[in-house]
Amino acid sequence: MSFRNASLRLARVAGARAAASATQKRALSAIATAARPALKQNTKIAGVRGVKTIKFNGTDEEIVYERADWPREKLLDYFKNDTMAMIGYGSQGYGQALNMRDNGLKVIIGVRKDGASWKAAIEDGWVPGETLFEVEDAIKRGTYVMNLLSDAAQSETWASIKPLITEGKTLYFSHGFSPVFKDLTHVEPPTDVDVILVAPKGSGRTVRSLFKEGRGINSSYAVWNDVSGKAHEKAQALAVAVGSGYVYQTTFEKEVNSDLYGERGCLMGGIHGMFLAQYEVLRENGHSPSEAFNETVEEATQSLYPLVGKYGMDYMYDACSTTARRGALDWYPIFKKALKPVFEDLYESVRNGSETKRSLEFNSQADYRAKLEEELVTIRNMEIWRVGREVRKLRPENN
């Protein structure tokens, strides 16, 4: 696939952004105009810096809360009497706990003593008896109980945890899985405490790395119970404290449905399946492993997807050759028509609890880690990803 001269492309974008009026800007396609939301200062919330209203198609509006609404000094004052008890120290627990600690909040960790997470926490500077405790002890000490155990572990431990969530505490989740599918998980939050959710849109490692870079991940927040009348405020503040750059409102139900759906679709399962299908067709038609990998994965992840992430799909189309654009415009409706029924089936499987049931049944097995590793080894040994390991070594930055 060929590209236009990078300097001309960037100059065009810079010129478009600098134009003072709409007539001076380069005309966008109808698709691009519909896809790109207009962002304006929210005039309905006077005196609050950073709060934005995003308008889509001139009708649908969403309020977005930014990190500027909760500077570090405000966070410290808001949480000055609180102790954040992080229960679980996996990917999300690790990232969120360290970010809160760096933001100056009082944070303690609750995990099984002498387990892998306990040892990892010590390596990260948490001190047994001071900031590192067993689960029940941490919950008793915390005013915010942040339950970031795995979904299966939340289900298995809830009977012992629930009695410790006493009046005045705030219960926090980063996934709607357990409360929404309570008929399967048996996690039914108490009705006399605030129950909130902050769901970063990325792994805990990304939550941490973006925070350290001074950036911030985007997150959603939701409220299950608002006993104090301040649950929304608590969730927005905690979203910033754990490392979010901006946060938008959802519900527990919508969060878990969109999350499970996305992971199985475009984010992981769907994209992996698409990569494999394209790679295999290329190999079956005589293309070399290197060529098949580069045309399937390397060019996508190194050249095109970063453009989509930074500027949008319309920009990526415009950055490519006329031949590439013509083919993509002709074929994306065909892919959509073929794939939409699959995505509809997937969403229904998420909504009706089938995916939750499958996850709980598998992840609750005593030997689930060994079984999971067998499946992951299969992926590692696929030709496409073995080729990928060799191709990555050839990148200039790795030499």
Side-chain angles (χ1 to χ4, degrees), residues 72-106:
R72 190 169 185 270
E73 297 74 16
K74 185 176 178 180
L75 287 175
L76 291 175
D77 183 66
Y78 191 81
F79 294 117
K80 63 186 177 183
N81 297 319
D82 291 304
T83 298
M84 310 298 168
M86 177 61 70
I87 309 305
Y89 202 66
S91 176
Q92 282 293 340
Y94 146 89
Q96 294 189 34
L98 290 176
N99 289 353
M100 286 191 295
R101 186 173 73 180
D102 286 354
N103 269 327
L105 276 61
K106 183 178 180 181

Side-chain angles (χ1 to χ4, degrees), residues 4 40 103 141 183 185 190 210 241 271 275 323 330 386:
R4 296 179 181 178
K40 68 174 187 178
N103 269 327
R141 293 168 179 267
D183 291 343
T185 65
L210 291 180
I271 199 71
F275 280 159
T323 300
D330 288 344
R386 287 190 284 109

Side-chain angles (χ1 to χ4, degrees), residues 143-162:
T143 55
Y144 282 75
V145 179
M146 306 176 75
N147 193 344
L148 266 63
L149 295 168
S150 69
D151 296 324
Q154 286 187 21
S155 177
E156 293 167 1
T157 60
W158 184 246
S160 62
I161 287 178
K162 184 176 180 179

Side-chain angles (χ1 to χ4, degrees), residues 194-227:
D194 288 345
V195 180
I196 61 177
L197 171 149
V198 173
K201 299 304 154 185
S203 72
R205 302 289 164 176
T206 307
V207 171
R208 181 60 176 161
S209 64
L210 291 180
F211 177 84
K212 290 171 70 176
E213 292 171 14
R215 297 163 63 189
I217 198 162
N218 56 309
S219 302
S220 61
Y221 89 90
V223 172
W224 183 274
N225 285 344
D226 186 4
V227 175

